[in-house]
Amino acid sequence: MSAVEEVAQPASGCSWFCCAQDEPKAAKIPAGRRTIVMLFGPPGSGKGTQAPKVVEKLGIPQLSTGDMLRAAVAEGSEVGKKAKVVMESGGLVSDEIVIGIISERIAKPDCAKGFI
């Protein structure tokens, strides 16, 4: 049984997917094994309950696009400035902006071994 299976038994309506990436495609990420865990499910299905358990077990950070968007806006990064305009108007942030924020975040050293 994998580490993820041991700590994150999915709640009803919640599912998880885990993969190991032996050769990261992002040039800024050091070579080696990375664990990437994605938790999917509707509101209230247990994603927020299970994620800290997986973080503790695997020692990799939990990423949240909402948290990353707010941090990018607070930092005043280029992507954050674009997101701020959309967020202040009440619109949905485009995939292009979200992908930019995720790309910036997973290039940081604490994500070298993986992330949730």
Side-chain angles (χ1 to χ4, degrees):
M1 184 177 281
S2 75
V4 174
E5 290 171 330
E6 290 174 12
V7 264
Q9 292 297 324
S12 177
C14 180
S15 59
W16 53 263
F17 173 75
C18 178
C19 65
Q21 189 178 25
D22 291 323
E23 297 182 37
K25 294 179 182 176
K28 294 182 181 179
I29 304 299
R33 189 170 179 86
R34 293 178 79 199
T35 299
I36 301 170
V37 179
M38 292 179 226
L39 301 174
F40 298 93
S45 62
K47 300 176 303 289
T49 301
Q50 295 301 323
K53 295 175 183 181
V54 178
V55 167
E56 183 179 333
K57 182 74 175 179
L58 300 180
I60 56 177
Q62 174 188 351
L63 307 182
S64 159
T65 54
D67 292 345
M68 288 187 286
L69 282 167
R70 288 183 286 278
V73 169
E75 291 170 4
S77 70
E78 280 303 312
V79 177
K81 290 175 188 175
K82 291 178 185 176
K84 182 178 181 178
V85 171
V86 176
M87 292 165 70
E88 286 180 343
S89 71
L92 294 174
V93 179
S94 70
D95 288 346
E96 178 185 341
I97 292 172
V98 173
I99 290 168
I101 288 173
I102 293 170
S103 296
E104 286 178 2
R105 180 63 182 91
I106 66 173
K108 294 185 178 183
D110 67 332
C111 290
K113 290 184 180 180
F115 51 88
I116 300 169

